[in-house]
């Protein structure tokens, strides 16, 4: 009975207490999951920064490797007065093999020609190299210089279509070449559509790296440019061989992050995670690398396990609380029944005491009346017995 009295507070809220226990256990589980997710986000942020560093280093390494080849090509044209197509072809094959080394489409040569000497250049090449060589587009009246593609190795496939194209006629290429002349070092262009892909319905974004060729003992006079064209997607795929994690979303942008400046991207399956971006210098030109990791679900594995067992524990706590309150309610009902039975027993006892007293009073009254009329003890006994 003492235990039942101590548990009497359960009866006020027989369903509320189990629900309160469930809410407390659920809040504890939710806080645990939030803490796990926060730690997981911090870990992934550190991992994402490491991946971004690897990707940026891979892109810069590929660019540096191609620039090293362009420097070698620039040395060839700087040390020789005239380089024939066969010489350049053999030189390019020694350096680049089939031409797809380090993600480029090959190596080319574009002399810097004054507009008034264009006819002499075309005639010279037509007589010695290609009878069908013509520069396109034709220079405008105000144009002072041209940079037509004379050699581009390997000279097969789409590269043949680029020979003769005046790169000075296009503003982005011209800006890169003028900057290369000013700095005297390799410079990458902005986003362009390569001449090789001009017949494609949806040209792939590309870029070029120009290495100025400065003639010796000329006071810094630029003879032309050794260059390499790149499809941005091919260049990115080549760089992906240098970093480990491929389970990330990766986007490379020209100068700023915008759909118009997107050069190449790689997408993976899964829900999007945190994003990080970094500006890198590639051939004296700024690229923006944006990466974001992917995860298989909304919660990490540890969070899902914690959530599952936390929900299970919450339900168990609620069930145990319900059993306790139910037992307390049953004990309370037993107590109330016992109290009712005790009240009835007390009433019956009081009534019995009253009736016994009345009976004894009657006996005493009979005995008294019998004594008055009795003459001896035998007469008293017989009369008392008969009256009772």
């Amino acid at each position: 009975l003492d235990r039942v009295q101590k548990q009497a507070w359960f009866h006020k809220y027989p369903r509320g207490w189990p629900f309160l226990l469930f809410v407390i256990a659920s809040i504890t589980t939710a806080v645990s999951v939030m803490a796990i997710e926060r730690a997981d986000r911090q870990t992934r942020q550190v991992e994402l920064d490491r991946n971004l560093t690897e990707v940026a280093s891979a892109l810069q390494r590929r660019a540096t490797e191609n620039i090293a080849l362009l420097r070698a090509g620039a040395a060839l044209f700087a040390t020789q007065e005239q380089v024939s197509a066969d010489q350049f072809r053999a030189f390019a094959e020694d350096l680049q093999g089939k031409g797809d080394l380090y993600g480029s489409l090959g190596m080319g040569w574009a002399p810097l020609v004054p507009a008034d000497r264009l006819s002499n250049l075309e005639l010279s090449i037509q007589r010695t190299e290609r009878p069908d060589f013509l520069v396109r587009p034709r220079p405008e009246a105000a144009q002072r210089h041209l940079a037509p593609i004379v050699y581009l190795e390997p000279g097969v496939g789409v590269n043949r279509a680029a020979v003769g194209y005046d790169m000075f006629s296009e503003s982005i290429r011209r800006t890169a070449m003028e900057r290369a002349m000013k700095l005297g070092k390799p410079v990458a262009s902005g986003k362009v559509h390569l001449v090789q892909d001009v017949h494609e319905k949806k040209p792939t974004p590309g870029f070029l790296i120009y290495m100025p060729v400065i003639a010796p003992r000329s006071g810094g006079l630029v003879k032309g440019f050794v260059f390499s064209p790149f499809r941005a997607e091919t260049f990115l795929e080549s760089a992906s061989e240098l970093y480990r994690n491929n389970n990330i979303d990766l986007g490379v942008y020209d100068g700023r992050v915008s759909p118009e400046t997107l050069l190449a991207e790689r997408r993976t399956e899964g829900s999007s995670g945190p994003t990080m971006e970094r500006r890198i210098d590639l051939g004296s030109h700024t690229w923006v690398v944006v990466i974001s990791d992917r995860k298989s679900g909304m919660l990490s594995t540890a969070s899902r396990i914690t959530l599952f067992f936390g929900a299970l524990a919450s339900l168990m706590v609620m069930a145990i609380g319900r059993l306790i309150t139910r037992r307390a309610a049953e004990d309370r009902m037993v107590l109330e029944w016992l109290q009712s039975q005790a009240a009835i027993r007390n009433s019956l006892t009081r009534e019995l005491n009253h009736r016994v007293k009345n009976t004894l009073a009657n006996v005493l009254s009979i005995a008294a009346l019998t004594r008055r009329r009795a003459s001896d003890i035998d007469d008293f006994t017989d009369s008392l017995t008969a009256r009772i």
Side-chain angles (χ1 to χ4, degrees):
L1 294 179
D2 291 340
R3 177 176 61 81
V4 172
Q5 291 293 346
K6 291 179 181 179
Q7 294 177 350
W9 57 276
F10 276 114
H11 307 293
K12 296 181 180 179
Y13 310 102
R15 296 184 180 179
W17 293 114
F19 181 73
L20 179 60
L21 293 175
F22 174 78
V23 171
I24 293 174
S26 299
I27 291 175
T28 303
T29 301
V31 171
S32 301
V33 170
M34 291 173 61
I36 293 173
E37 284 297 296
R38 181 179 180 183
D40 182 66
R41 282 196 299 270
Q42 292 176 347
T43 302
R44 291 170 59 195
Q45 197 75 13
V46 173
E47 182 70 13
L48 194 64
D49 182 72
R50 184 186 65 81
N51 290 331
L52 180 57
T53 300
E54 287 186 356
V55 171
S57 299
L59 293 172
Q60 290 176 321
R61 177 179 170 181
R62 280 290 182 252
T64 302
E65 290 167 343
N66 281 283
I67 287 174
L69 300 181
L70 294 178
R71 290 186 184 277
L76 172 67
F77 283 93
T79 55
Q80 297 193 25
E81 185 67 25
Q82 189 70 28
V83 177
S84 66
D86 293 335
Q87 287 179 312
F88 183 73
R89 184 178 302 109
F91 177 80
E93 287 179 356
D94 289 340
L95 288 181
Q96 291 188 314
K98 296 181 180 180
D100 55 356
L101 187 64
Y102 306 140
S104 73
L105 294 179
M107 180 185 296
W109 161 248
L112 185 63
V113 183
D116 56 359
R117 298 182 59 185
L118 175 60
S119 299
N120 295 336
L121 174 68
E122 290 178 332
L123 289 174
S124 175
I125 296 176
Q126 289 172 0
R127 290 172 181 172
T128 58
E129 305 289 347
R130 296 186 57 174
D132 58 344
F133 180 82
L134 284 176
V135 175
R136 63 184 192 283
R138 305 308 293 179
E140 299 179 356
Q143 188 171 343
R144 298 177 57 187
H145 291 87
L146 296 89
I149 300 175
V150 174
Y151 303 141
L152 184 56
E153 294 296 332
V156 295
V158 293
N159 281 349
R160 290 185 61 86
V163 175
Y165 176 72
D166 176 24
M167 293 185 288
F168 235 65
S169 64
E170 195 272 321
S171 60
I172 297 179
R173 292 175 172 85
R174 181 173 62 251
T175 300
M177 287 186 283
E178 289 175 346
R179 191 158 183 261
M181 288 190 292
K182 181 180 179 181
L183 298 177
K185 63 180 183 179
V187 171
S189 73
K191 176 183 176 181
V192 298
H193 293 301
L194 301 178
V195 183
Q196 288 90 330
D197 300 332
V198 68
H199 298 297
E200 298 289 335
K201 294 182 179 179
K202 190 177 180 180
T204 302
F207 66 98
L208 302 98
I209 299 179
Y210 294 98
M211 177 67 198
V213 177
I214 300 176
R217 297 183 299 276
S218 64
L221 181 65
V222 176
K223 294 176 59 177
F225 302 90
V226 177
F227 68 95
S228 285
F230 300 86
R231 291 190 180 99
E233 288 186 357
T234 305
F235 182 75
L236 181 60
E237 183 177 353
S238 174
S240 66
E241 301 171 358
L242 302 178
Y243 58 86
R244 295 174 294 174
N245 189 3
N246 290 321
N247 191 29
I248 55 175
D249 284 351
L250 172 61
V252 180
Y253 297 85
D254 178 25
R256 58 187 177 86
V257 178
S258 172
E260 294 79 16
T261 60
L262 178 64
L263 288 168
E265 63 178 352
R266 295 183 63 182
R267 298 294 178 187
T268 57
E269 295 181 355
S271 58
S272 181
T275 300
M276 187 177 293
E277 65 179 57
R278 181 175 299 175
R279 302 177 72 86
I280 63 173
D281 181 83
L282 191 141
S284 300
H285 188 78
T286 301
W287 278 10
V288 180
V289 181
V290 180
I291 68 171
S292 61
D293 68 351
R294 290 284 183 174
K295 55 182 182 178
S296 58
M298 295 298 294
L299 297 177
S300 63
T301 303
S303 296
R304 290 197 296 270
I305 293 175
T306 302
L307 185 61
F308 173 76
F309 285 103
L312 187 62
S314 300
L315 293 174
M316 291 179 62
V317 168
M318 185 175 66
I320 294 172
R322 181 58 179 163
L323 290 175
I324 293 174
T325 54
R326 181 179 296 176
R327 181 178 177 184
E330 292 174 353
D331 289 347
R332 185 64 180 177
M333 292 174 61
V334 171
L335 177 62
E336 292 175 352
W337 181 82
L338 292 174
Q339 290 176 340
S340 175
Q341 294 298 315
I344 295 173
R345 184 168 57 250
N346 291 336
S347 298
L348 292 174
T349 302
R350 287 193 298 269
E351 183 65 24
L352 180 61
N353 289 337
H354 176 67
R355 291 177 182 272
V356 168
K357 289 178 180 179
N358 288 342
T359 302
L360 292 177
N362 289 335
V363 171
L364 291 175
S365 178
I366 292 171
L369 290 174
T370 303
R371 186 187 61 179
R372 293 175 187 172
R373 298 179 180 181
S375 57
D376 54 22
I377 190 61
D378 293 331
D379 185 33
F380 173 78
T381 300
D382 293 338
S383 297
L384 178 62
T385 302
R387 288 185 179 186
I388 291 175

